[in-house]
Amino acid sequence: MIEETLDIATTDGAMETFICHPSVAVRSPR
Amino acid sequence: MLLMDAHGVRDELRDMARRLGTVGYYVLLPNLYYRAGRDTIYGPTVSENGSAEHTRMRAVRTKMTIPPVMADVAAMLAFIDRQEAAKGGPVGAHGYCMSGPYALAAAARYPDRIAAAASFYGTWLVNDAEESPHLNLGKVKGELYIACAEHDELAPLPMVDELRGLFRRAGTAGEIELYPRVHHGFAFPQRWCYDKPAAERHWERLIALYRRRLG
């Protein structure tokens, strides 16, 4: 599992967002 | 997109995001309170009515409205589109408590991107707010799943019945399900009212929805 917390730019500022996903290599959930 | 409940981003929600990640999805869990500053992460006493943390949270939560969150959803969609690790195409959004309406509103605002949306004990799904979910059910092209707790003063049964009628008349794909004998917050493992069978059902229904609509 890859995890990171970063800011997503919005019209009102920077929205801190926790992100997780299996890996860069997995493009499909199946 | 996993949209937070009123208590905000915390380890409990990060763990829920991880669970969705383990079945293959690229998951975003944004701090929707960011407009109020970085100091919008709350300690465990946020769940205690009258506590300092609860009061601090309520000062932010009561200012939340749907349209700005829809702008945030647009920002997340643009972000997702730039990520190599995220499969392109349809996106799912689900929200708990205050974010139930946000997830459903997102499906109406972005019908060509949000192919699946779910609300779990979403609050006041029928009200006079701008973009209240009940107003735009007919705009949704994807599938909705709306889970309500039998005991929920923030989503009373007459409201659920009204929404069910509107849902049917709009011809929206999906369903509204009442979870019997459980309270608002039943899917949160750290909540006093956590109900494991109902929580597991919520996972089963959510993942099945995402499998059908997102792949």
Side-chain angles (χ1 to χ4, degrees), chain B residues 141-163:
Chain B
K141 294 181 181 175
E143 180 178 347
L144 303 183
Y145 177 67
I146 301 172
C148 301
E150 181 179 359
H151 305 290
D152 190 346
E153 62 183 18
L154 302 175
L157 294 181
M159 185 213 77
V160 177
D161 287 341
E162 183 180 0
L163 184 65

Side-chain angles (χ1 to χ4, degrees), chain B residues 3 7 9 18 21 59 86 95 170 185 190:
Chain B
L3 305 180
H7 295 182
V9 173
R18 291 180 181 109
Q190 305 302 318

Side-chain angles (χ1 to χ4, degrees), chain A residues 4 6-11 13-15 17 19 21 24 27, chain B residues 26 28 71-89 91 113:
Chain A
E4 58 185 332
L6 49 75
D7 288 341
I8 292 179
T10 74
T11 52
M15 181 168 64
T17 303
I19 297 171
H21 56 94
V24 173
R27 299 296 299 272
Chain B
Y26 189 102
L28 302 181
D72 298 339
V73 169
M76 286 188 278
L77 290 171
F79 175 85
I80 291 167
D81 287 343
R82 297 192 298 271
Q83 306 311 306
E84 280 195 11
K87 180 183 174 187
V91 173
R113 289 304 308 276

Side-chain angles (χ1 to χ4, degrees), chain B residues 9-31:
Chain B
V9 173
R10 56 196 183 278
D11 282 342
E12 185 178 45
L13 289 190
R14 291 188 194 94
D15 281 344
M16 294 171 78
R18 291 180 181 109
R19 179 159 175 176
L20 200 52
T22 63
V23 297
Y25 294 104
Y26 189 102
V27 186
L28 302 181
L29 169 61
N31 177 9

Side-chain angles (χ1 to χ4, degrees), chain B residues 93-97 99-104 117-123 125 133 144-148 163 175 177 179 206 209:
Chain B
H94 68 286
Y96 300 87
C97 177
S99 284
Y102 302 151
L104 301 179
S119 163
F120 296 99
Y121 33 88
T123 57
L125 299 172
L144 303 183
Y145 177 67
I146 301 172
C148 301
L163 184 65
E175 74 172 297
E177 181 173 10
Y179 283 50
L206 175 65
L209 170 70

